Amino acid sequence: MHGIFVNNKWCDNKEEVKIKVREFFEERFSRNDTCQVRLDKVEFNSISEADNEMLIGDFSEEEVRAAIWGCDSSKSPDLDGFNFGFIKSCWDILKKDVVSAVKDFAGYGSWQRGSNASFLCLIPKLENPQQLGEFRPISLVGCLYKIISKALSLRLKMVIGKIIDARQLTFLEGKGLLDSVLVANEVLEEYKRKRKSCVFFKVNYEKAYESVNWDFIFYMLRRLGFCKRWIRWIKGCLESASVSVLVNGSPTKEFFPRKGLRQGDPLAPFLFLIVTEGLAWVARVAKEKKVD
């Protein structure tokens, strides 16, 4: 990135570009105000007490190992230069310390400063990007955070199908995005064949992950029956994050996001599902009450 348009002005000074890039993404991930959306009159599905006990149960060595082996060995290394390939190769030596770190997080529900730091890598959405909005921000999170986040996501994956609408076809086991394409195609074809009138519309979530309000995540977790300890773990993962943007391989000064989900975090897809479940239930209630 040798230069970029910022506020319709071309900037090509290296240090100035780094400052402008940091300011752009710091503003994007800053919380504008407290989320006022509340769906208290909507009846959501709820997980059971047994599900909550499973979610907050003790982490075993086998569970931690499964989380590690579920991560690609060749992914970008941690800040110390070690990647998952190294951890897997030296598992017999490292396992005691890694499992201990996971259990420490489970006990305190928080991270020490700097242990949840990540780099934001900017991937161009098109061939010759000129604006910062034309880049997709992908987070390169550290191995230790990713191990814990992966372990949490594997547990969440076991119960999320009980609370998410059956018509949701992404990020759920046994379902895929292609299924929704096939369903939409079949429905449209049937309406054409029967010569019926209908309205089809496609909604695109602009900057979907970056726009997620953390307060609403915690609210939805409570409404869906998750216990206080699990919510404290999720808060610990989100609120302890710090980010530095990589500009031509050089990191900017770090900042602390106050909203959004990091693309690259194993928990992000499932938390996004929980957020969108609020919208799904609002639409369902409106349909049942025939609200225009």
Side-chain angles (χ1 to χ4, degrees), residues 1-6 14 16-29 76 118-141 207 210 243-253 255 261-264:
M1 185 189 300
H2 302 292
I4 200 74
F5 279 103
V6 180
K14 292 183 178 180
E16 189 176 355
V17 167
K18 288 179 65 174
I19 293 173
K20 295 297 183 182
V21 169
R22 177 187 179 276
E23 290 177 347
F24 178 86
F25 285 100
E26 183 176 19
E27 182 179 359
R28 176 179 287 190
F29 288 101
S76 298
S118 61
F119 289 133
L120 203 64
C121 181
L122 305 181
I123 308 299
K125 295 180 181 179
L126 40 84
E127 187 172 351
N128 294 303
Q130 300 294 314
Q131 305 281 351
L132 287 173
E134 296 171 347
F135 290 89
R136 179 176 290 107
I138 303 298
S139 294
L140 306 179
V141 297
K207 299 180 180 64
E210 293 94 323
V243 176
S244 299
V245 187
L246 290 177
V247 181
N248 298 326
S250 177
T252 66
K253 183 179 178 181
F255 62 90
L261 299 172
R262 293 179 293 181
Q263 298 189 52

Side-chain angles (χ1 to χ4, degrees), residues 95-130:
K95 62 183 179 182
K96 183 178 180 179
D97 291 329
V98 174
V99 173
S100 177
V102 175
K103 291 186 175 182
D104 283 346
F105 169 80
Y108 296 104
S110 60
W111 296 79
Q112 293 183 350
R113 180 178 172 85
S115 58
N116 191 7
S118 61
F119 289 133
L120 203 64
C121 181
L122 305 181
I123 308 299
K125 295 180 181 179
L126 40 84
E127 187 172 351
N128 294 303
Q130 300 294 314

